[in-house]
Amino acid sequence: MSVHYWDEEMETLPRVGLESIQLRRLKHLVARVYRTVEPYRRKMDAAGVKPEDIKSLADLAKLPFTVKDDLRDNYPFGLFTVPMEEVVRVHASSGTTGKATVVGYTAKDIETWSNVMARALCCAGATKGDMIHNAYGYGLFTGGLGAHYGIERLGATAIPVSGGNSKRQINIMKDFGSTVLLSTPSYALNLADAMDAMKIDPKSLSLRVGIFGAEPWSESMREEVERKLNLKATDIYGLSEIIGPGVAQECLVTDRGMHICEDHFLPEIINPETGEVLPPGEKGELVFTTLTKEAFPLIRYRTKDISRLIYEPCECGRTLVRMEKVTGRTDDMLIIRGVNVFPSQVEHVLLGVEGVEPHYLIVVEREGNLDTMQVQVEVSEGIFSDEVRVLENLSKHIQKEIKDLLGVTCKVKLVEPKTIQRSEGKAQRVIDKRKI
Amino acid sequence: MLVEQIAVFLENKSGRLAEITAILAENAINIRALSVADTADFGILRLIVDKVEQAKAVLRENGFTVGKTQVLAVEVEDKTGGLARVLKCIKEAGINVEYMYAFVNKTGENAVLIFRFEKMEEAMATLQKEGFTILSREQICGL
Protein backbone atom coordinates (compact mmCIF):
# COMPACT_ATOMS: atom_id res chain seq x y z
CA MET A 1 0.00 0.00 0.00
CA SER A 2 1.44 3.34 -0.95
CA VAL A 3 1.31 5.99 1.74
CA HIS A 4 0.10 9.46 0.86
CA TYR A 5 1.28 12.46 2.82
CA TRP A 6 -0.14 15.94 2.59
CA ASP A 7 2.87 17.65 4.10
CA GLU A 8 5.56 14.98 3.98
CA GLU A 9 8.32 17.04 5.54
CA MET A 10 6.31 17.96 8.61
CA GLU A 11 4.64 14.58 8.94
CA THR A 12 7.91 12.65 8.91
CA LEU A 13 10.15 15.12 10.72
CA PRO A 14 12.48 13.55 13.32
CA ARG A 15 11.27 14.36 16.85
CA VAL A 16 14.18 16.65 17.62
CA GLY A 17 13.25 18.89 14.73
CA LEU A 18 9.59 18.74 15.59
CA GLU A 19 10.21 19.64 19.22
CA SER A 20 12.32 22.62 18.28
CA ILE A 21 9.46 23.92 16.09
CA GLN A 22 7.00 23.27 18.91
CA LEU A 23 9.10 25.16 21.45
CA ARG A 24 9.57 28.17 19.18
CA ARG A 25 5.83 28.32 18.52
CA LEU A 26 4.96 27.81 22.18
CA LYS A 27 7.16 30.69 23.35
CA HIS A 28 5.67 32.95 20.75
CA LEU A 29 2.10 31.90 21.69
CA VAL A 30 2.52 32.38 25.42
CA ALA A 31 4.05 35.84 24.96
CA ARG A 32 1.28 36.92 22.62
CA VAL A 33 -1.54 35.57 24.76
CA TYR A 34 -0.10 37.16 27.91
CA ARG A 35 0.08 40.49 26.13
CA THR A 36 -3.34 40.47 24.49
CA VAL A 37 -5.80 38.49 26.61
CA GLU A 38 -6.60 39.76 30.05
CA PRO A 39 -8.10 36.52 31.48
CA TYR A 40 -4.94 34.60 30.48
CA ARG A 41 -2.69 37.25 31.99
CA ARG A 42 -4.64 37.15 35.25
CA LYS A 43 -4.41 33.37 35.47
CA MET A 44 -0.70 33.31 34.69
CA ASP A 45 -0.01 36.03 37.24
CA ALA A 46 -1.99 34.11 39.83
CA ALA A 47 0.09 31.01 39.07
CA GLY A 48 3.27 33.09 39.28
CA VAL A 49 4.45 32.28 35.76
CA LYS A 50 5.74 34.76 33.16
CA PRO A 51 6.16 34.17 29.42
CA GLU A 52 9.96 34.21 29.82
CA ASP A 53 9.71 31.21 32.19
CA ILE A 54 8.94 29.02 29.19
CA LYS A 55 12.39 27.79 28.19
CA SER A 56 11.70 24.18 27.29
CA LEU A 57 8.68 22.09 26.35
CA ALA A 58 8.64 20.71 29.90
CA ASP A 59 7.94 24.23 31.15
CA LEU A 60 4.50 23.92 29.60
CA ALA A 61 3.45 22.20 32.83
CA LYS A 62 3.95 25.50 34.68
CA LEU A 63 1.09 27.12 32.79
CA PRO A 64 -2.45 27.06 34.18
CA PHE A 65 -5.09 24.89 32.51
CA THR A 66 -7.94 26.30 30.49
CA VAL A 67 -11.33 24.62 31.03
CA LYS A 68 -14.70 24.87 29.37
CA ASP A 69 -15.93 27.21 32.12
CA ASP A 70 -13.25 29.74 31.13
CA LEU A 71 -14.82 29.78 27.67
CA ARG A 72 -18.28 30.19 29.12
CA ASP A 73 -17.22 32.91 31.54
CA ASN A 74 -15.81 34.92 28.67
CA TYR A 75 -18.75 34.27 26.33
CA PRO A 76 -18.87 35.05 23.51
CA PHE A 77 -15.59 36.62 22.35
CA GLY A 78 -13.68 37.39 25.53
CA LEU A 79 -10.79 35.00 24.85
CA PHE A 80 -10.19 36.12 21.26
CA THR A 81 -6.72 37.56 20.79
CA VAL A 82 -7.38 39.59 17.65
CA PRO A 83 -9.84 42.41 16.92
CA MET A 84 -13.17 41.17 15.56
CA GLU A 85 -12.49 42.66 12.12
CA GLU A 86 -9.78 40.04 11.68
CA VAL A 87 -12.14 37.21 12.59
CA VAL A 88 -13.55 35.77 9.38
CA ARG A 89 -15.67 33.04 10.89
CA VAL A 90 -17.16 31.88 14.17
CA HIS A 91 -18.47 28.46 15.17
CA ALA A 92 -20.25 27.46 18.36
CA SER A 93 -21.03 24.37 20.34
CA SER A 94 -24.65 23.35 20.72
CA GLY A 95 -24.70 24.40 24.35
CA THR A 96 -26.40 21.20 25.46
CA THR A 97 -24.43 21.13 28.70
CA GLY A 98 -24.72 24.85 29.42
CA LYS A 99 -24.10 28.10 27.65
CA ALA A 100 -22.68 27.66 24.14
CA THR A 101 -18.95 28.09 23.67
CA VAL A 102 -17.92 30.25 20.75
CA VAL A 103 -14.73 29.87 18.74
CA GLY A 104 -13.31 32.21 16.10
CA TYR A 105 -10.95 31.97 13.16
CA THR A 106 -8.82 34.42 11.20
CA ALA A 107 -8.25 33.85 7.50
CA LYS A 108 -4.95 32.21 8.39
CA ASP A 109 -6.68 29.96 10.94
CA ILE A 110 -9.03 28.76 8.20
CA GLU A 111 -5.93 28.02 6.10
CA THR A 112 -4.37 26.07 8.95
CA TRP A 113 -7.58 24.16 9.54
CA SER A 114 -8.02 23.30 5.86
CA ASN A 115 -4.46 22.02 5.78
CA VAL A 116 -4.70 19.82 8.86
CA MET A 117 -8.00 18.45 7.57
CA ALA A 118 -6.46 17.74 4.14
CA ARG A 119 -3.65 16.01 6.02
CA ALA A 120 -6.21 13.88 7.85
CA LEU A 121 -7.95 12.93 4.61
CA CYS A 122 -4.62 11.92 3.04
CA CYS A 123 -3.77 9.96 6.16
CA ALA A 124 -6.97 7.95 5.62
CA GLY A 125 -5.91 7.30 2.02
CA ALA A 126 -8.07 9.88 0.27
CA THR A 127 -6.65 11.53 -2.82
CA LYS A 128 -7.57 14.16 -5.39
CA GLY A 129 -9.73 11.76 -7.38
CA ASP A 130 -12.05 10.87 -4.51
CA MET A 131 -15.75 11.69 -4.24
CA ILE A 132 -16.00 12.64 -0.60
CA HIS A 133 -19.43 12.30 0.97
CA ASN A 134 -19.52 14.71 3.89
CA ALA A 135 -22.42 13.77 6.17
CA TYR A 136 -21.26 15.88 9.11
CA GLY A 137 -23.73 18.63 9.92
CA TYR A 138 -23.05 22.00 8.27
CA GLY A 139 -23.60 25.12 10.33
CA LEU A 140 -22.30 26.32 13.65
CA PHE A 141 -21.02 22.80 14.38
CA THR A 142 -17.40 22.60 13.18
CA GLY A 143 -17.74 19.12 11.65
CA GLY A 144 -19.38 19.94 8.34
CA LEU A 145 -17.53 23.05 7.22
CA GLY A 146 -14.24 21.99 8.77
CA ALA A 147 -14.20 18.76 6.79
CA HIS A 148 -15.53 20.56 3.71
CA TYR A 149 -12.66 23.02 3.48
CA GLY A 150 -10.19 20.19 3.93
CA ILE A 151 -11.76 18.24 1.07
CA GLU A 152 -11.52 21.24 -1.25
CA ARG A 153 -7.96 21.91 -0.13
CA LEU A 154 -7.07 18.32 -0.95
CA GLY A 155 -8.55 18.87 -4.39
CA ALA A 156 -11.01 16.01 -4.08
CA THR A 157 -14.70 16.44 -4.91
CA ALA A 158 -16.81 17.46 -1.93
CA ILE A 159 -20.39 16.23 -1.69
CA PRO A 160 -21.72 18.59 1.01
CA VAL A 161 -24.71 16.44 1.86
CA SER A 162 -24.70 17.29 5.60
CA GLY A 163 -26.67 15.16 8.07
CA GLY A 164 -30.13 13.66 7.83
CA ASN A 165 -32.41 12.21 5.16
CA SER A 166 -30.69 8.85 4.93
CA LYS A 167 -32.58 7.67 1.88
CA ARG A 168 -31.42 10.63 -0.13
CA GLN A 169 -27.88 10.17 1.15
CA ILE A 170 -27.85 6.60 -0.11
CA ASN A 171 -29.24 7.54 -3.50
CA ILE A 172 -26.50 10.15 -3.79
CA MET A 173 -23.86 7.60 -2.82
CA LYS A 174 -25.16 5.33 -5.53
CA ASP A 175 -25.58 7.94 -8.27
CA PHE A 176 -22.49 10.07 -7.57
CA GLY A 177 -20.24 7.15 -6.70
CA SER A 178 -19.16 8.39 -3.25
CA THR A 179 -15.84 6.77 -2.33
CA VAL A 180 -15.14 8.25 1.11
CA LEU A 181 -17.74 8.77 3.83
CA LEU A 182 -17.43 11.27 6.66
CA SER A 183 -19.94 11.03 9.48
CA THR A 184 -20.40 10.09 13.10
CA PRO A 185 -20.05 6.31 13.61
CA SER A 186 -23.63 6.05 14.87
CA TYR A 187 -24.92 7.82 11.79
CA ALA A 188 -22.89 5.40 9.65
CA LEU A 189 -24.81 2.53 11.26
CA ASN A 190 -28.00 4.43 10.67
CA LEU A 191 -27.10 4.59 6.97
CA ALA A 192 -26.38 0.85 7.00
CA ASP A 193 -29.87 0.21 8.41
CA ALA A 194 -31.38 2.45 5.76
CA MET A 195 -29.49 0.59 3.01
CA ASP A 196 -30.83 -2.62 4.36
CA ALA A 197 -34.39 -1.26 4.29
CA MET A 198 -33.86 -0.02 0.73
CA LYS A 199 -32.43 -3.42 -0.21
CA ILE A 200 -29.22 -1.79 -1.39
CA ASP A 201 -26.15 -3.96 -1.04
CA PRO A 202 -23.23 -1.83 0.23
CA LYS A 203 -21.00 -3.91 -2.04
CA SER A 204 -22.76 -2.33 -5.02
CA LEU A 205 -21.59 1.13 -3.88
CA SER A 206 -18.13 2.61 -4.35
CA LEU A 207 -17.41 3.39 -0.70
CA ARG A 208 -13.84 2.54 0.22
CA VAL A 209 -13.03 4.40 3.41
CA GLY A 210 -15.03 5.91 6.24
CA ILE A 211 -13.71 8.70 8.44
CA PHE A 212 -15.75 8.63 11.62
CA GLY A 213 -15.56 10.87 14.64
CA ALA A 214 -17.28 13.35 16.96
CA GLU A 215 -18.28 10.69 19.46
CA PRO A 216 -16.53 7.88 21.30
CA TRP A 217 -16.85 4.46 19.69
CA SER A 218 -15.41 1.06 20.40
CA GLU A 219 -13.34 -1.38 18.38
CA SER A 220 -16.31 -3.71 18.14
CA MET A 221 -18.35 -0.88 16.66
CA ARG A 222 -15.61 -0.39 14.08
CA GLU A 223 -15.96 -4.03 13.01
CA GLU A 224 -19.71 -3.61 12.83
CA VAL A 225 -19.45 -0.51 10.62
CA GLU A 226 -16.84 -2.14 8.38
CA ARG A 227 -18.94 -5.25 7.91
CA LYS A 228 -22.21 -3.44 7.34
CA LEU A 229 -20.91 -0.73 5.01
CA ASN A 230 -18.15 -2.70 3.28
CA LEU A 231 -15.44 -0.11 3.85
CA LYS A 232 -12.34 0.51 5.93
CA ALA A 233 -13.39 2.52 8.98
CA THR A 234 -10.92 5.03 10.39
CA ASP A 235 -11.11 7.28 13.39
CA ILE A 236 -10.75 11.05 13.27
CA TYR A 237 -10.43 13.34 16.25
CA GLY A 238 -11.12 16.98 16.72
CA LEU A 239 -13.01 19.41 18.85
CA SER A 240 -14.21 22.89 18.12
CA GLU A 241 -12.23 24.46 20.96
CA ILE A 242 -8.95 23.23 19.44
CA ILE A 243 -9.92 23.83 15.79
CA GLY A 244 -12.55 21.28 14.74
CA PRO A 245 -12.05 18.01 12.85
CA GLY A 246 -8.49 17.29 11.76
CA VAL A 247 -6.65 17.46 15.08
CA ALA A 248 -5.72 13.78 14.72
CA GLN A 249 -6.39 11.00 12.23
CA GLU A 250 -5.78 7.29 12.04
CA CYS A 251 -3.64 6.10 9.12
CA LEU A 252 -4.38 2.98 7.08
CA VAL A 253 -1.44 1.02 8.42
CA THR A 254 -2.47 0.62 12.01
CA ASP A 255 -5.73 0.32 13.85
CA ARG A 256 -4.10 1.74 16.93
CA GLY A 257 -4.04 5.45 17.36
CA MET A 258 -4.54 8.65 15.41
CA HIS A 259 -1.60 10.80 14.35
CA ILE A 260 -1.85 14.19 16.00
CA CYS A 261 -0.89 17.28 13.99
CA GLU A 262 1.65 18.00 16.69
CA ASP A 263 3.21 20.91 14.87
CA HIS A 264 -0.10 22.72 15.48
CA PHE A 265 -1.57 21.04 18.54
CA LEU A 266 0.68 20.10 21.42
CA PRO A 267 -0.76 17.19 23.42
CA GLU A 268 -0.31 16.22 27.05
CA ILE A 269 -1.87 13.49 29.16
CA ILE A 270 -2.72 14.43 32.72
CA ASN A 271 -4.20 12.78 35.75
CA PRO A 272 -7.73 14.22 35.72
CA GLU A 273 -7.89 14.25 39.51
CA THR A 274 -4.60 15.97 40.31
CA GLY A 275 -3.77 17.75 37.05
CA GLU A 276 -0.27 16.30 37.10
CA VAL A 277 1.35 15.43 33.76
CA LEU A 278 1.62 11.67 33.29
CA PRO A 279 4.63 9.85 31.84
CA PRO A 280 4.55 8.81 28.14
CA GLY A 281 2.18 5.95 27.41
CA GLU A 282 -0.05 6.39 30.44
CA LYS A 283 -3.77 6.78 30.21
CA GLY A 284 -5.45 9.96 31.36
CA GLU A 285 -7.12 13.16 30.26
CA LEU A 286 -6.00 14.65 26.99
CA VAL A 287 -4.89 18.29 27.11
CA PHE A 288 -4.06 20.45 24.09
CA THR A 289 -2.21 23.67 23.51
CA THR A 290 -2.80 25.22 20.09
CA LEU A 291 0.55 26.37 18.73
CA THR A 292 -0.43 28.23 15.58
CA LYS A 293 -3.96 29.50 15.99
CA GLU A 294 -4.40 33.26 15.80
CA ALA A 295 -7.95 34.26 16.73
CA PHE A 296 -8.64 31.80 19.51
CA PRO A 297 -5.57 30.03 20.80
CA LEU A 298 -5.88 27.84 23.85
CA ILE A 299 -3.28 27.00 26.42
CA ARG A 300 -3.50 23.62 28.10
CA TYR A 301 -7.15 23.08 27.29
CA ARG A 302 -8.63 20.15 29.19
CA THR A 303 -10.64 18.08 26.71
CA LYS A 304 -12.15 15.68 29.29
CA ASP A 305 -11.39 12.92 26.76
CA ILE A 306 -9.61 9.89 28.09
CA SER A 307 -6.78 8.64 25.90
CA ARG A 308 -3.14 7.60 25.83
CA LEU A 309 -0.25 8.80 23.66
CA ILE A 310 1.66 6.24 21.63
CA TYR A 311 5.24 7.25 20.88
CA GLU A 312 6.33 4.02 19.14
CA PRO A 313 7.15 4.69 15.47
CA CYS A 314 4.34 3.96 13.03
CA GLU A 315 4.85 1.84 9.94
CA CYS A 316 3.29 4.55 7.80
CA GLY A 317 6.43 6.63 8.31
CA ARG A 318 4.75 9.47 10.16
CA THR A 319 6.69 10.57 13.19
CA LEU A 320 3.72 12.41 14.64
CA VAL A 321 2.66 10.93 17.95
CA ARG A 322 -0.54 8.89 17.99
CA MET A 323 -3.41 9.21 20.41
CA GLU A 324 -5.36 6.10 21.24
CA LYS A 325 -9.06 5.94 20.44
CA VAL A 326 -10.90 7.94 23.06
CA THR A 327 -12.25 5.39 25.51
CA GLY A 328 -14.43 7.71 27.51
CA ARG A 329 -14.94 11.14 28.87
CA THR A 330 -14.15 12.35 32.31
CA ASP A 331 -17.64 13.78 32.28
CA ASP A 332 -19.76 11.01 30.76
CA MET A 333 -18.26 8.67 33.22
CA LEU A 334 -21.10 7.34 35.33
CA ILE A 335 -20.45 6.51 38.92
CA ILE A 336 -22.83 3.75 39.86
CA ARG A 337 -22.67 2.63 43.44
CA GLY A 338 -19.14 3.92 43.54
CA VAL A 339 -18.06 2.14 40.37
CA ASN A 340 -16.87 4.06 37.32
CA VAL A 341 -18.79 3.09 34.21
CA PHE A 342 -18.17 4.33 30.69
CA PRO A 343 -21.00 3.80 28.22
CA SER A 344 -18.38 2.62 25.72
CA GLN A 345 -17.62 -0.31 28.04
CA VAL A 346 -21.26 -1.34 28.02
CA GLU A 347 -21.26 -1.01 24.25
CA HIS A 348 -18.21 -3.23 24.07
CA VAL A 349 -20.01 -5.95 26.03
CA LEU A 350 -23.13 -5.73 23.89
CA LEU A 351 -21.23 -5.98 20.63
CA GLY A 352 -19.51 -9.06 21.97
CA VAL A 353 -22.87 -10.82 22.20
CA GLU A 354 -23.73 -12.38 18.88
CA GLY A 355 -26.64 -10.83 17.08
CA VAL A 356 -26.98 -7.86 19.41
CA GLU A 357 -27.26 -4.51 17.67
CA PRO A 358 -25.19 -1.58 18.87
CA HIS A 359 -28.29 0.41 19.68
CA TYR A 360 -28.54 0.61 23.42
CA LEU A 361 -29.54 2.98 26.15
CA ILE A 362 -28.35 3.13 29.72
CA VAL A 363 -30.91 4.41 32.19
CA VAL A 364 -29.61 5.27 35.62
CA GLU A 365 -31.97 5.87 38.51
CA ARG A 366 -31.84 6.04 42.24
CA GLU A 367 -34.17 3.93 44.34
CA GLY A 368 -33.91 4.96 47.95
CA ASN A 369 -30.20 5.45 48.38
CA LEU A 370 -29.22 2.87 45.81
CA ASP A 371 -28.27 3.55 42.20
CA THR A 372 -29.81 1.29 39.62
CA MET A 373 -28.61 0.81 36.07
CA GLN A 374 -30.86 -0.50 33.36
CA VAL A 375 -29.46 -1.36 29.96
CA GLN A 376 -32.03 -1.36 27.19
CA VAL A 377 -31.15 -3.59 24.27
CA GLU A 378 -33.07 -3.85 21.04
CA VAL A 379 -34.22 -7.31 20.03
CA SER A 380 -33.28 -7.91 16.43
CA GLU A 381 -34.25 -10.99 14.41
CA GLY A 382 -30.75 -12.28 14.99
CA ILE A 383 -31.37 -12.81 18.69
CA PHE A 384 -35.12 -13.24 18.80
CA SER A 385 -36.59 -16.58 19.73
CA ASP A 386 -40.16 -17.74 20.22
CA GLU A 387 -39.06 -19.33 23.48
CA VAL A 388 -39.17 -17.25 26.65
CA ARG A 389 -36.32 -19.25 28.13
CA VAL A 390 -33.94 -18.30 25.30
CA LEU A 391 -34.62 -14.57 25.66
CA GLU A 392 -34.35 -14.73 29.41
CA ASN A 393 -31.02 -16.50 29.09
CA LEU A 394 -29.87 -13.78 26.74
CA SER A 395 -30.70 -11.05 29.28
CA LYS A 396 -28.95 -13.02 32.00
CA HIS A 397 -25.92 -13.51 29.80
CA ILE A 398 -25.63 -9.78 29.03
CA GLN A 399 -26.14 -8.99 32.69
CA LYS A 400 -23.36 -11.35 33.66
CA GLU A 401 -20.94 -10.01 31.04
CA ILE A 402 -21.51 -6.45 32.25
CA LYS A 403 -21.09 -7.55 35.83
CA ASP A 404 -17.86 -9.33 34.93
CA LEU A 405 -16.40 -6.33 33.12
CA LEU A 406 -17.64 -3.47 35.25
CA GLY A 407 -18.47 -5.06 38.58
CA VAL A 408 -21.93 -3.52 38.44
CA THR A 409 -25.17 -5.42 38.49
CA CYS A 410 -27.57 -4.00 35.97
CA LYS A 411 -30.99 -4.90 34.76
CA VAL A 412 -31.18 -5.78 31.10
CA LYS A 413 -34.40 -4.82 29.40
CA LEU A 414 -35.14 -6.19 25.96
CA VAL A 415 -37.02 -3.68 23.86
CA GLU A 416 -38.56 -3.67 20.41
CA PRO A 417 -36.45 -2.64 17.43
CA LYS A 418 -36.19 1.08 16.63
CA THR A 419 -37.53 2.06 20.05
CA ILE A 420 -34.21 3.54 21.06
CA GLN A 421 -34.02 6.95 19.56
CA ARG A 422 -31.77 7.22 16.50
CA SER A 423 -29.85 10.39 16.20
CA GLU A 424 -28.57 12.13 13.10
CA GLY A 425 -25.57 13.35 15.04
CA LYS A 426 -24.23 12.19 18.36
CA ALA A 427 -26.12 9.28 19.81
CA GLN A 428 -27.53 9.68 23.26
CA ARG A 429 -26.47 6.63 25.22
CA VAL A 430 -27.27 7.59 28.78
CA ILE A 431 -30.29 8.89 30.61
CA ASP A 432 -29.34 9.76 34.14
CA LYS A 433 -32.48 10.31 36.19
CA ARG A 434 -30.71 10.49 39.52
CA LYS A 435 -31.29 13.56 41.62
CA ILE A 436 -28.26 13.77 43.81
CA MET B 1 -45.84 -32.54 8.67
CA LEU B 2 -44.84 -29.43 10.49
CA VAL B 3 -46.79 -26.20 10.56
CA GLU B 4 -45.20 -22.78 10.26
CA GLN B 5 -45.83 -20.46 13.16
CA ILE B 6 -44.79 -16.85 13.39
CA ALA B 7 -43.64 -15.31 16.62
CA VAL B 8 -43.52 -11.60 17.41
CA PHE B 9 -41.53 -9.86 20.13
CA LEU B 10 -43.66 -7.59 22.31
CA GLU B 11 -42.56 -5.04 24.81
CA ASN B 12 -44.90 -4.90 27.76
CA LYS B 13 -46.70 -1.69 26.92
CA SER B 14 -50.32 -1.04 26.22
CA GLY B 15 -51.72 -1.25 22.74
CA ARG B 16 -49.06 -3.41 21.08
CA LEU B 17 -51.28 -6.45 20.72
CA ALA B 18 -54.09 -4.30 19.37
CA GLU B 19 -51.69 -2.83 16.84
CA ILE B 20 -50.62 -6.24 15.57
CA THR B 21 -54.13 -7.53 15.19
CA ALA B 22 -55.13 -4.33 13.38
CA ILE B 23 -52.24 -4.70 10.94
CA LEU B 24 -53.20 -8.30 10.23
CA ALA B 25 -56.84 -7.35 9.78
CA GLU B 26 -55.98 -4.54 7.37
CA ASN B 27 -54.06 -7.03 5.26
CA ALA B 28 -56.85 -9.61 5.29
CA ILE B 29 -54.77 -12.11 7.18
CA ASN B 30 -56.76 -14.57 9.23
CA ILE B 31 -55.51 -15.78 12.59
CA ARG B 32 -56.26 -19.47 13.17
CA ALA B 33 -54.64 -19.85 16.56
CA LEU B 34 -52.61 -17.76 18.92
CA SER B 35 -51.00 -17.65 22.30
CA VAL B 36 -49.11 -15.03 24.27
CA ALA B 37 -46.27 -15.97 26.56
CA ASP B 38 -45.53 -13.19 28.94
CA THR B 39 -42.87 -12.33 31.46
CA ALA B 40 -42.48 -9.27 33.64
CA ASP B 41 -40.55 -7.48 30.90
CA PHE B 42 -41.71 -8.71 27.55
CA GLY B 43 -44.08 -11.00 25.75
CA ILE B 44 -43.93 -13.34 22.80
CA LEU B 45 -46.96 -13.59 20.59
CA ARG B 46 -47.24 -16.83 18.63
CA LEU B 47 -49.58 -17.04 15.71
CA ILE B 48 -50.78 -19.49 13.13
CA VAL B 49 -52.20 -17.60 10.19
CA ASP B 50 -53.44 -18.39 6.71
CA LYS B 51 -50.80 -16.27 4.92
CA VAL B 52 -47.51 -16.77 6.71
CA GLU B 53 -45.09 -14.92 4.44
CA GLN B 54 -47.39 -11.96 4.01
CA ALA B 55 -48.00 -11.71 7.74
CA LYS B 56 -44.28 -11.76 8.39
CA ALA B 57 -43.64 -9.08 5.80
CA VAL B 58 -46.30 -6.64 6.98
CA LEU B 59 -45.34 -6.99 10.62
CA ARG B 60 -41.69 -6.43 9.75
CA GLU B 61 -42.61 -3.38 7.72
CA ASN B 62 -44.30 -2.03 10.82
CA GLY B 63 -41.13 -2.41 12.82
CA PHE B 64 -41.77 -5.63 14.71
CA THR B 65 -39.21 -8.34 15.27
CA VAL B 66 -40.68 -11.44 13.69
CA GLY B 67 -39.44 -14.99 13.78
CA LYS B 68 -40.69 -18.16 12.13
CA THR B 69 -40.69 -21.58 13.75
CA GLN B 70 -42.04 -25.00 13.00
CA VAL B 71 -44.65 -26.43 15.32
CA LEU B 72 -46.64 -29.64 15.37
CA ALA B 73 -50.46 -29.60 15.27
CA VAL B 74 -52.12 -32.70 16.70
CA GLU B 75 -55.81 -33.28 16.38
CA VAL B 76 -57.56 -35.15 19.14
CA GLU B 77 -61.18 -35.80 19.94
CA ASP B 78 -62.61 -33.19 22.26
CA LYS B 79 -63.11 -35.65 25.07
CA THR B 80 -61.79 -36.07 28.58
CA GLY B 81 -58.22 -37.36 28.48
CA GLY B 82 -57.44 -36.26 24.91
CA LEU B 83 -54.41 -34.17 25.83
CA ALA B 84 -53.36 -36.63 28.54
CA ARG B 85 -53.01 -39.43 25.96
CA VAL B 86 -50.75 -37.31 23.79
CA LEU B 87 -48.56 -36.21 26.67
CA LYS B 88 -48.27 -39.72 28.05
CA CYS B 89 -46.90 -40.96 24.78
CA ILE B 90 -44.48 -38.01 24.58
CA LYS B 91 -43.34 -38.59 28.13
CA GLU B 92 -42.68 -42.23 27.44
CA ALA B 93 -40.55 -41.28 24.48
CA GLY B 94 -38.54 -38.99 26.80
CA ILE B 95 -39.28 -35.81 24.84
CA ASN B 96 -39.62 -32.38 26.44
CA VAL B 97 -42.38 -29.92 25.60
CA GLU B 98 -41.05 -26.39 25.10
CA TYR B 99 -44.50 -24.89 25.01
CA MET B 100 -48.00 -25.67 23.83
CA TYR B 101 -51.40 -24.15 23.28
CA ALA B 102 -54.70 -25.50 22.09
CA PHE B 103 -57.97 -24.57 20.47
CA VAL B 104 -61.24 -26.30 19.74
CA ASN B 105 -62.53 -26.28 16.22
CA LYS B 106 -65.86 -24.90 15.15
CA THR B 107 -67.85 -28.09 15.29
CA GLY B 108 -66.63 -28.69 18.82
CA GLU B 109 -65.87 -32.31 18.01
CA ASN B 110 -62.12 -32.04 17.88
CA ALA B 111 -59.41 -30.08 19.63
CA VAL B 112 -56.15 -29.03 18.01
CA LEU B 113 -53.02 -29.07 20.14
CA ILE B 114 -50.08 -26.95 18.96
CA PHE B 115 -46.73 -28.15 20.27
CA ARG B 116 -43.17 -27.02 20.19
CA PHE B 117 -41.00 -29.95 21.27
CA GLU B 118 -37.36 -30.12 22.04
CA LYS B 119 -36.99 -32.80 19.37
CA MET B 120 -39.53 -32.05 16.68
CA GLU B 121 -38.85 -34.88 14.23
CA GLU B 122 -38.70 -37.50 16.90
CA ALA B 123 -41.95 -36.25 18.46
CA MET B 124 -43.71 -36.33 15.10
CA ALA B 125 -42.57 -39.89 14.39
CA THR B 126 -43.66 -41.01 17.84
CA LEU B 127 -47.11 -39.46 17.56
CA GLN B 128 -47.64 -40.81 14.05
CA LYS B 129 -46.66 -44.29 15.14
CA GLU B 130 -49.22 -44.07 17.92
CA GLY B 131 -51.88 -43.20 15.38
CA PHE B 132 -52.45 -39.54 16.22
CA THR B 133 -53.63 -37.23 13.47
CA ILE B 134 -51.05 -34.59 12.54
CA LEU B 135 -52.54 -31.60 10.73
CA SER B 136 -51.01 -29.48 7.98
CA ARG B 137 -51.39 -25.71 7.83
CA GLU B 138 -53.93 -26.09 5.03
CA GLN B 139 -55.97 -28.38 7.21
CA ILE B 140 -55.85 -25.96 10.15
CA CYS B 141 -56.88 -23.10 7.93
CA GLY B 142 -59.70 -25.19 6.50
CA LEU B 143 -61.16 -26.08 9.88
Side-chain angles (χ1 to χ4, degrees), chain A residues 379-382 384-389 391-392 395 411-419, chain B residues 5 7-11 13 16 37 39 41-42 44 46 60 63 65-67 69 98-99:
Chain A
V379 174
S380 65
E381 292 198 356
F384 178 50
S385 161
D386 62 324
E387 291 175 40
V388 171
R389 176 168 67 95
L391 291 180
E392 283 183 337
S395 314
K411 182 173 162 40
V412 174
K413 187 179 184 212
L414 300 177
V415 297
E416 286 174 18
K418 312 279 186 242
T419 51
Chain B
Q5 169 198 264
V8 189
F9 181 79
L10 286 175
E11 239 180 280
K13 52 187 182 191
R16 296 306 272 163
T39 72
D41 291 314
F42 62 86
I44 299 169
R46 302 172 188 130
R60 262 188 190 155
T65 304
V66 188
T69 23
E98 301 280 15
Y99 57 77

Side-chain angles (χ1 to χ4, degrees), chain B residues 3 7 16 28 30 56 58 72 80 109-110 116 127 137:
Chain B
V3 174
R16 296 306 272 163
N30 196 3
K56 234 174 95 178
V58 294
L72 201 60
T80 314
E109 283 167 12
N110 291 330
R116 174 83 198 157
L127 291 170
R137 182 163 60 89

Side-chain angles (χ1 to χ4, degrees), chain A residues 91-247:
Chain A
H91 279 280
S93 71
S94 56
T96 42
T97 53
K99 198 150 69 172
T101 52
V102 181
V103 297
Y105 304 79
T106 64
K108 184 170 167 262
D109 288 338
I110 298 289
E111 278 282 309
T112 304
W113 191 8
S114 307
N115 272 308
V116 294
M117 188 61 215
R119 208 191 265 190
L121 292 163
C122 267
C123 195
T127 59
K128 219 168 145 45
D130 273 306
M131 293 293 288
I132 305 187
H133 192 99
N134 186 14
Y136 282 119
Y138 279 63
L140 280 176
F141 170 56
T142 48
L145 283 163
H148 182 91
Y149 275 67
I151 298 166
E152 291 191 351
R153 174 56 51 90
L154 176 66
T157 308
I159 308 173
V161 64
S162 195
N165 202 345
S166 305
K167 236 185 205 166
R168 180 157 170 259
Q169 299 243 3
I170 292 161
N171 284 327
I172 286 173
M173 282 179 180
K174 198 170 67 174
D175 299 343
F176 296 7
S178 312
T179 54
V180 178
L181 168 65
L182 273 75
S183 73
T184 58
S186 52
Y187 190 57
L189 284 176
N190 218 335
L191 287 171
D193 278 355
M195 278 179 205
D196 198 40
M198 289 164 77
K199 299 197 169 39
I200 288 182
D201 181 358
K203 291 198 178 79
S204 70
L205 302 175
S206 314
L207 292 176
R208 187 180 85 243
V209 182
I211 300 176
F212 304 118
E215 65 185 17
W217 53 310
S218 61
E219 277 309 310
S220 1
M221 193 157 167
R222 185 209 299 271
E223 283 160 28
E224 189 90 16
V225 172
E226 290 191 335
R227 184 168 52 77
K228 287 191 165 169
L229 282 176
N230 188 44
L231 47 69
K232 165 82 187 142
T234 69
D235 203 357
I236 188 168
Y237 180 82
L239 64 168
S240 65
E241 295 90 325
I242 299 307
I243 203 157
V247 174

Side-chain angles (χ1 to χ4, degrees), chain A residues 22 34 88 113 124 149 154 234 252 272 301-302 324 330 349 385 433:
Chain A
Q22 287 176 325
Y34 187 80
V88 301
W113 191 8
Y149 275 67
L154 176 66
T234 69
L252 293 177
Y301 182 68
R302 293 184 61 159
E324 207 168 69
T330 59
V349 168
S385 161
K433 295 178 175 171

